[in-house]
Amino acid sequence: MTAPGALLTRRAFSGGGAGLYSQLLLALICGGYATGAALGWGSPELALFMGDFGLALAALLAAVSCFLYARARESRFRPAWLLFSFSSAMAACGNAVWGWYEVVLDSKVPSPSFADFFFLCFGPPAIVGLLVLAKRPVTRAGWVCLALDSWLIGGSLLTLSWSLALAHTAHFQGETVAHAALSLAYPLLDIALVSMVLALHFRRSNANRTAINTTIAALATTVLCDALFTSPLLRENYRSGQLLDAGWFAGSLLLAYAPWGARRAGQWGEGAPYHRGSRDPGSRPIGGSLAALTPYLAAAVCTLGILYNVTEGRRVDRVVVFTGCTVVLALVVRQGIMLVDNISLTQELAQKENHFRSLVQGSSDVIMIAAPTGILRYVSPAASGVYGRDAEELIGSELASLIHPEDLGRVVHEVRRFLATPPSEEPTTRMECRFKSGTGEWLNVESTVNRHQGGLIFNSRDVTERVRLQAQLQHNAEHDPLTDLPNRALFTARVRQALGGRRVCDPGTAVLYIDLDGFKAVNDTIGHQAGDELLIQAARRLQDSVRSGDTAARLGGDEFAALIMGEGSHDQASRECQVHEIADRLRLMLSQPYKIDGHEVRVAASIGVAFAEHGVTPTDLMRNADLAMYRAKAAGKDRVELYAPQMQAEVVRRTELAARLRTALHEGEFALLHQPVVSLTTGRVAAVAAQARWRSTQGILFTPAEFLRVADDNDRTAELGRWLLEEAVEQAAERNRAGHPVPVAVRISARRLVDLAMPLGSIEALLTRHGLPSGALMIELADSDPRFSFDELERRLVALRRLGVRIALDGFGSGYAAINALRRLPIDVLKLDRGLVEGVVESARLHKITSGLLRIAGDLGMQSVADGVDVPEQVIALRAMGCTHGQGMAFSGPLDEYRLRRALVRGDFPVPGGAPEPVLVGGSLPVRHVGATGSDALTHTPMRSNTETPVPPT
């Protein structure tokens, strides 16, 4: 037995336990009644009672059972069960009347009597009920054939019965007409009932077949007992309670059991499809053959009846002749109808076959039929267009030989699973595999599989283009469109994969975060298209530099990453050294010049490295590498940094500091300090540089180099810049009114000056509101590089000079475009970068550079200010080179308002080395008297003091 068959058997036994118990109980009751009847019930009185009222009780039970079932179930078979209930009720009444005479009145039953009336009413309802249960014909010819089949069976039985017994009954002498009619009515009704039983056996409905079979068996048992009872020999010796009554008793109980017992056994009701395990498929051809032979068998029975009369030397009765002629006529008519019907069916079949053939041959899908052995029995002509192989070539070949070896196991598993699944649960399945074409290439084929006479039907189509498109879409979703490197999503997935499986907790696995330093300048100077080309070349270099098992990715913008897989080594120090060497090699490779549109472009690379640790997640590992990369940029760029745990602590500290900075300005935690700008020849204070300091609520004093590093939004830095300018102008005006008319310098970036959100009218209004005279405000221009529009910057500076604002070029000697700024911008003062000042004494090279820059300033008629003058040697050297002013710890640090006014009262600072004659013109910063109006353009970065350190790039 197959596995599905065994499963169905278990289900049948587990679900039909109650039905089996009912069948055993029914068999025991019928067997007990038959045993009692065979033994005579022990007494004549009990035999009469059981033969009459016992049969009445069994028939009543059948009537009640069928009636209750008809009320409980709504279906098209409900009238049949009501008719069977009425028929059984008539049988119960007939047996009750029979018992009334024999048991109660102790007299012989008269003939005819009411019992005969009730018994005669048993047959017609049962016949109509069987017609209701029969499979209804769908055409008129079908109804005619059903009637002809019934007459063929009934007429044949009537011919045979008349020849054997009924002719004798009809010519019985000495009986009344009523008695003779009654004698003929019983067998004629039985013949009609038998005819319907036989006709229904070959035409019963597929729905609730078990209940119909049980009903047919019950009525057949009753008809058989009636036929035995009508025979003259048995009827003369019949007594109630004999063995013949056991047949009637069993027929009634079977009819009572038919609707309920069949439903419990099969676990389905009327109208449900026939259970797949309850019928042998091989019985269908046999049943169809018997149904086709029914008319000929009936004609043969009719012929036997006539031959019996001839062989016995009897005169052929007119009833036999008439019945035989009608049977032959019915057979001829039926054959004619069947012939016409067969011709119509043949034409319809041919038409459907042509239609099917046109559909199959014209379909773009390939239809294949495979035998249970896997041999292809049919292949549609579409195979030549889809597979590039003729259908005749494929027929007879094994399906397995055409499937890709890597897909064969999966296909076989799916086919076996599909065949083991009941058809009602999964009528079809779908599978994909690679199919060998006529050119030898493998095509992606999608097939819908159906069952077909033990084999399979494959409806296949070529989906190679769809698979390629899906693969392309998947590739696009996981790769950067510009460089074709894995993107952030795929890189994160591979990091997650590297941290799991057999490589879990491998300390050699590392993630490298790479940022291209100076890439933004490439976009701004030679265009974004050149920037894209640089990214493509950098990606190619990165891909060529990593190993085959590693992963290089572009995370976005100018940020790249690399996943370096571990080798299972437990020597952490050597592994760190090896990965550091790989990262440094990548840095050198990415820092090589790039050839783009005839230009040689250089960028550097800052790389952060983080190693996998126990319990680290992919997100944490990538974040650690990112922190190390930003540490490399802050430490001077173009370097490699390894992640250390304190980096995370620093990030937390900076985050907390940035959060406090957002409210510090409104809480009044910022203070304004001023550092004197001193003449190097006279020591007098020529100006003061405004600087902001933040004293937090914890008492910590932060310089701009510290708190501006965490000011992560432009709105916050712009607000701080506006506060710095307003405070500086307000305090300068108060000092001017107090008799200390010293100019104040405020550092503003070029980016802030060209920002349209800061109109010039705001500065003019500020100067007017506080009454600051012309020349008392100096703007120190910072970040004058080519990334900003010189045209707009020049217009802004010219407008500021009209307001009486003096312009200083801050950080001269560093940056990108100092010479261009000197050429185009209206500059009054040059402020040397502190990087030049710090090494002017020790470095002869810096000494020459600084001397040349000061000579340029002198030739242009500009004053000069050296920032970061901290020691007397620097004062002497700068003064000898022609620098006019200095700012730094050699004179004074940043001062609060009280100490500043004391210094202004004193008037000057001691100058190291005396006061020689100036090389360049001027001992103080000149003051121009222009109309005092102002505007509000301000930077986010105040002037640096000599105590500050440069803000690390981020």
Side-chain angles (χ1 to χ4, degrees):
M1 180 181 292
T2 61
L7 180 62
L8 292 177
T9 304
R10 288 196 297 270
R11 289 179 179 176
F13 276 98
S14 61
L20 181 62
Y21 175 78
S22 301
Q23 294 171 6
L24 292 175
L25 181 62
L26 179 64
L28 288 176
I29 294 175
C30 294
Y33 191 96
T35 303
L39 299 177
W41 297 103
S43 66
E45 294 78 8
L46 182 59
L48 289 176
F49 182 85
M50 294 301 297
D52 295 333
F53 292 108
L55 294 181
L57 180 62
L60 181 62
L61 179 62
V64 173
S65 174
C66 293
F67 179 75
L68 293 178
Y69 184 79
R71 289 191 59 185
R73 303 291 294 179
E74 288 289 344
S75 71
R76 71 180 185 90
F77 296 137
R78 183 178 182 182
W81 298 113
L82 290 175
L83 290 170
F84 292 145
S85 175
F86 179 77
S87 177
S88 299
M90 293 297 100
C93 293
N95 284 302
V97 172
W98 198 284
W100 174 263
Y101 281 106
E102 287 191 338
V103 177
V104 178
L105 299 181
D106 193 19
S107 63
K108 187 177 180 180
V109 180
S111 181
S113 65
F114 283 105
D116 295 319
F117 172 77
F118 288 122
F119 285 141
L120 290 176
C121 291
F122 169 81
I127 293 174
V128 178
L130 289 175
L131 286 174
V132 175
L133 289 181
K135 184 178 181 181
R136 297 180 180 179
V138 296
T139 61
R140 294 181 180 178
W143 285 105
V144 174
C145 288
L146 177 62
L148 292 176
D149 289 343
S150 301
W151 172 244
L152 285 171
I153 297 173
S156 300
L157 293 177
L158 177 60
T159 302
L160 186 60
S161 301
W162 191 274
S163 301
L164 296 176
L166 294 183
H168 175 72
T169 302
H171 296 87
F172 189 80
Q173 301 294 329
E175 290 187 355
T176 62
V177 175
H179 187 274
L182 183 63
S183 300
L184 290 174
Y186 280 109
L188 292 178
L189 285 175
D190 289 338
I191 290 173
L193 192 56
V194 168
S195 302
M196 291 308 305
V197 167
L198 292 177
L200 180 61
H201 176 71
F202 299 111
R203 290 181 174 270
R204 60 184 180 272
S205 175
N206 290 330
N208 207 356
R209 183 171 290 236
T210 305
I212 296 176
N213 288 339
T214 307
T215 303
I216 292 175
L219 296 177
T221 303
T222 303
V223 170
L224 178 62
C225 294
D226 288 345
L228 295 174
F229 177 76
T230 56
S231 63
L233 181 60
L234 185 60
R235 187 171 183 177
E236 291 177 358
N237 299 322
Y238 170 77
R239 296 292 183 272
S240 295
Q242 291 181 350
L243 193 59
L244 186 60
D245 292 343
W248 283 315
F249 185 82
S252 296
L253 290 188
L254 279 176
L255 188 58
Y257 170 80
W260 304 99
R263 183 171 181 266
R264 285 196 302 269
Q267 293 299 316
W268 44 267
E270 293 176 359
Y274 186 54
H275 199 280
R276 59 179 175 269
S278 61
R279 181 180 59 184
D280 183 10
S283 63
R284 293 181 181 179
I286 298 177
S289 300
L290 291 177
L293 293 175
T294 300
Y296 305 101
L297 294 175
V301 170
C302 182
T303 304
L304 288 176
I306 298 174
L307 290 177
Y308 175 78
N309 289 327
V310 173
T311 55
E312 290 293 328
R314 301 178 182 177
R315 184 176 60 87
V316 178
D317 195 278
R318 286 176 296 179
V319 174
V320 173
V321 174
F322 176 79
T323 305
C325 292
T326 55
V327 167
V328 172
L329 181 60
L331 180 61
V332 172
V333 173
R334 189 184 187 282
Q335 287 301 108
I337 294 176
M338 293 302 297
L339 181 59
V340 174
D341 193 34
N342 286 338
I343 294 175
S344 177
L345 288 176
T346 301
Q347 294 176 349
E348 183 180 357
L349 181 60
Q351 183 180 2
K352 289 183 177 180
E353 182 179 358
N354 292 333
H355 182 64
F356 170 76
R357 188 182 304 276
S358 300
L359 289 177
V360 172
Q361 294 181 353
S363 174
S364 59
D365 294 346
V366 180
I367 299 176
M368 301 183 296
I369 300 178
T373 58
I375 303 299
L376 293 177
R377 298 303 185 193
Y378 173 80
V379 179
S380 66
S384 59
V386 176
Y387 299 147
R389 307 178 67 175
D390 293 336
E392 291 77 8
E393 178 186 351
L394 294 175
I395 295 175
S397 60
E398 292 187 3
L399 183 61
S401 63
L402 305 175
I403 300 176
H404 196 282
E406 296 179 1
D407 300 338
L408 183 58
R410 175 172 51 84
V411 171
V412 171
H413 175 75
E414 175 64 19
V415 169
R416 289 177 177 174
R417 184 202 62 79
F418 174 64
L419 292 177
T421 305
S424 60
E425 296 180 7
E426 189 175 4
T428 63
T429 188
R430 189 182 299 271
M431 62 183 65
E432 286 191 18
C433 64
R434 284 168 289 181
F435 199 89
K436 192 173 184 180
S437 67
T439 60
E441 64 176 333
W442 295 100
L443 303 176
N444 294 94
V445 175
E446 180 187 61
S447 301
T448 302
V449 185
N450 295 271
R451 298 172 179 86
H452 174 69
Q453 296 180 356
L456 295 172
I457 298 179
F458 293 84
N459 191 353
S460 306
R461 62 198 59 88
D462 182 11
V463 293
T464 304
E465 289 301 323
R466 189 194 71 185
V467 172
R468 290 175 181 172
L469 179 60
Q470 290 176 345
Q472 184 63 40
L473 292 176
Q474 182 70 20
H475 180 85
N476 293 342
E478 296 178 343
H479 289 76
D480 176 58
L482 179 64
T483 63
D484 202 39
L485 289 180
N487 58 13
R488 184 180 294 272
L490 181 57
F491 184 77
T492 304
R494 292 190 178 177
V495 172
R496 184 179 296 107
Q497 182 180 2
L499 296 181
R502 63 181 182 87
R503 295 183 180 272
V504 65
C505 300
D506 186 351
T509 301
V511 170
L512 278 60
Y513 254 59
I514 306 166
D515 185 85
L516 300 182
D517 304 321
F519 174 74
K520 189 176 186 303
V522 175
N523 275 340
D524 294 335
T525 54
I526 60 178
H528 289 274
Q529 185 174 359
D532 291 343
E533 179 62 27
L534 188 147
L535 292 176
I536 294 173
Q537 294 185 24
R540 190 178 302 117
R541 294 183 185 183
L542 180 61
Q543 184 68 42
D544 295 339
S545 300
V546 298
R547 301 171 303 179
S548 58
D550 300 334
T551 300
R554 182 192 177 203
L555 305 183
D558 60 341
E559 290 188 355
F560 295 86
L563 173 64
I564 308 300
M565 303 299 296
E567 299 176 351
S569 174
H570 296 284
D571 189 354
Q572 183 67 12
S574 63
R575 181 58 180 165
E576 288 184 1
C577 182
Q578 181 183 3
V579 173
H580 193 281
E581 291 177 357
I582 295 175
D584 199 56
R585 186 174 67 250
L586 287 176
R587 180 187 64 83
L588 294 176
M589 182 66 67
L590 294 174
S591 300
Q592 296 296 321
Y594 297 85
K595 295 291 185 179
I596 302 175
D597 295 335
H599 298 85
E600 186 176 279
V601 180
R602 289 180 178 270
V603 294
S606 297
I607 302 178
V609 182
F611 288 91
E613 300 175 355
H614 179 73
V616 68
T617 64
T619 303
D620 293 339
L621 182 60
M622 295 173 65
R623 181 204 61 199
N624 295 342
D626 193 20
L627 292 176
M629 184 268 291
Y630 277 104
R631 170 59 66 90
K633 294 178 72 67
K637 302 182 180 180
D638 194 17
R639 57 188 296 143
V640 177
E641 285 285 343
L642 298 181
Y643 170 78
Q646 57 267 26
M647 293 182 183
Q648 180 63 26
E650 182 181 350
V651 170
V652 174
R653 174 182 172 276
R654 291 178 60 185
T655 303
E656 294 175 351
L657 190 63
R660 295 203 304 268
L661 180 62
R662 293 186 180 95
T663 59
L665 188 62
H666 300 285
E667 298 294 334
E669 298 180 10
F670 276 89
L672 187 63
L673 302 181
H674 294 85
Q675 188 173 25
V677 179
V678 180
S679 172
L680 296 182
T681 57
T682 64
R684 297 189 60 83
V685 178
V688 291
Q691 300 176 12
R693 291 294 186 272
W694 175 26
R695 185 177 298 278
S696 67
T697 55
Q698 290 81 10
I700 304 174
L701 184 65
F702 296 100
T703 65
E706 295 173 313
F707 65 76
L708 288 179
R709 188 183 309 170
V710 300
D712 55 353
D713 59 274
N714 293 329
D715 293 339
R716 195 65 54 197
T717 55
E719 184 180 1
L720 179 60
R722 285 191 295 270
W723 174 86
L724 176 62
L725 180 60
E726 291 178 0
E727 285 291 316
V729 170
E730 181 180 359
Q731 292 186 19
E734 291 178 358
R735 287 192 299 270
N736 188 62
R737 288 190 293 269
H740 305 291
V742 58
V744 61
V746 180
R747 190 169 184 262
I748 299 178
S749 69
R751 176 183 302 175
R752 188 63 58 188
L753 281 176
V754 298
D755 190 354
L756 297 178
M758 301 177 64
L760 291 173
S762 60
I763 297 180
E764 181 180 2
L766 180 64
L767 296 175
T768 303
R769 183 169 67 251
H770 293 288
L772 194 65
S774 175
L777 175 64
M778 182 168 60
I779 299 296
E780 294 182 352
L781 182 65
D783 298 335
S784 55
D785 59 65
R787 287 175 289 184
F788 305 104
S789 172
F790 270 100
D791 296 335
E792 180 63 25
L793 182 60
E794 183 179 6
R795 285 193 295 270
R796 288 293 183 108
L797 294 180
V798 170
L800 286 174
R801 290 192 66 182
R802 291 196 186 101
L803 297 175
V805 178
R806 297 158 59 200
I807 308 299
L809 183 60
D810 185 41
F812 190 68
S814 66
Y816 296 96
I819 301 301
N820 196 24
L822 287 178
R823 182 177 64 86
R824 299 189 55 182
L825 301 180
I827 304 298
D828 299 311
V829 179
L830 288 182
K831 191 169 186 178
L832 295 179
D833 184 77
R834 66 182 298 118
L836 296 176
V837 176
E838 288 174 351
V840 72
V841 177
E842 294 83 1
S843 174
R845 186 180 185 86
L846 284 180
H847 188 280
K848 291 181 180 180
I849 294 174
T850 306
S851 177
L853 294 177
L854 290 172
R855 189 177 298 110
I856 293 174
D859 293 341
L860 294 176
M862 299 179 183
Q863 299 296 318
S864 57
V865 178
D867 185 17
V869 182
D870 295 334
V871 294
E873 293 79 5
Q874 293 174 347
V875 175
I876 296 171
L878 290 170
R879 184 176 58 197
M881 287 185 284
C883 185
T884 61
H885 297 81
Q887 171 186 341
M889 293 301 294
F891 304 105
S892 173
L895 304 174
D896 57 19
E897 187 65 21
Y898 174 76
R899 290 181 175 85
L900 176 62
R901 293 200 179 191
R902 289 183 56 185
L904 293 177
V905 170
R906 188 171 65 246
D908 55 11
F909 291 92
V911 179
E917 292 296 328
V919 177
L920 298 179
V921 179
S924 62
L925 296 177
V927 179
R928 297 181 180 177
H929 298 280
V930 183
T933 57
S935 70
D936 178 32
L938 188 58
T939 184
H940 67 284
T941 308
M943 180 176 179
R944 296 175 294 178
S945 71
N946 59 339
T947 60
E948 296 180 50
T949 58
V951 180
T954 57

